Amino acid sequence: SRWLGAPFRQRAGGPALQPPAHWRTQELAAGRWLVVYPPSGSFAQRVADGEAQLQQALRERGLTARGPITAQPFLHLQDGVPSDEALATPKVRVAVPVR
């Protein structure tokens, strides 16, 4: 599968993540990352733009990716079902771990 979920820290007094049995989970150690937030376009366009920006930054800075480029849309599911517009054009964090 190409999907990756990245939960945030547990909220004070909130429930811990209880992944379903079929999920594969992995904890990653802290490290250096390159991160961009492409400012406009559809989800697919922001991911494509972010990937291009990160590939260019890797070349220009002489860095090596130590994992895949990931894209994380921000949908604020705690506020309810996102609108069609929010689903079509979410804020997207595109990142890659580097060494």
Side-chain angles (χ1 to χ4, degrees), residues 4-8 28 31-39 42-43 46-51 53-54 66 68-75 89-97:
L4 170 72
F8 291 88
L28 300 176
R32 291 178 61 200
W33 289 71
L34 287 176
V35 178
V36 296
Y37 292 86
S42 67
F43 174 73
R46 289 177 197 229
V47 171
D49 291 349
E51 184 173 6
Q53 291 169 359
L54 292 174
R66 62 176 175 85
I69 291 176
T70 59
Q72 178 183 5
F74 289 85
L75 296 173
T89 59
K91 180 176 181 180
V92 180
R93 176 185 187 265
V94 187
V96 64

Side-chain angles (χ1 to χ4, degrees), residues 17-66:
L17 175 68
Q18 297 293 323
H22 66 282
W23 282 16
R24 292 182 307 161
T25 61
Q26 178 182 2
E27 186 171 333
L28 300 176
R32 291 178 61 200
W33 289 71
L34 287 176
V35 178
V36 296
Y37 292 86
S40 62
S42 67
F43 174 73
Q45 186 61 54
R46 289 177 197 229
V47 171
D49 291 349
E51 184 173 6
Q53 291 169 359
L54 292 174
Q55 293 289 0
Q56 181 178 348
L58 287 168
R59 285 189 305 274
E60 289 175 354
R61 297 174 186 198
L63 297 170
T64 302
R66 62 176 175 85

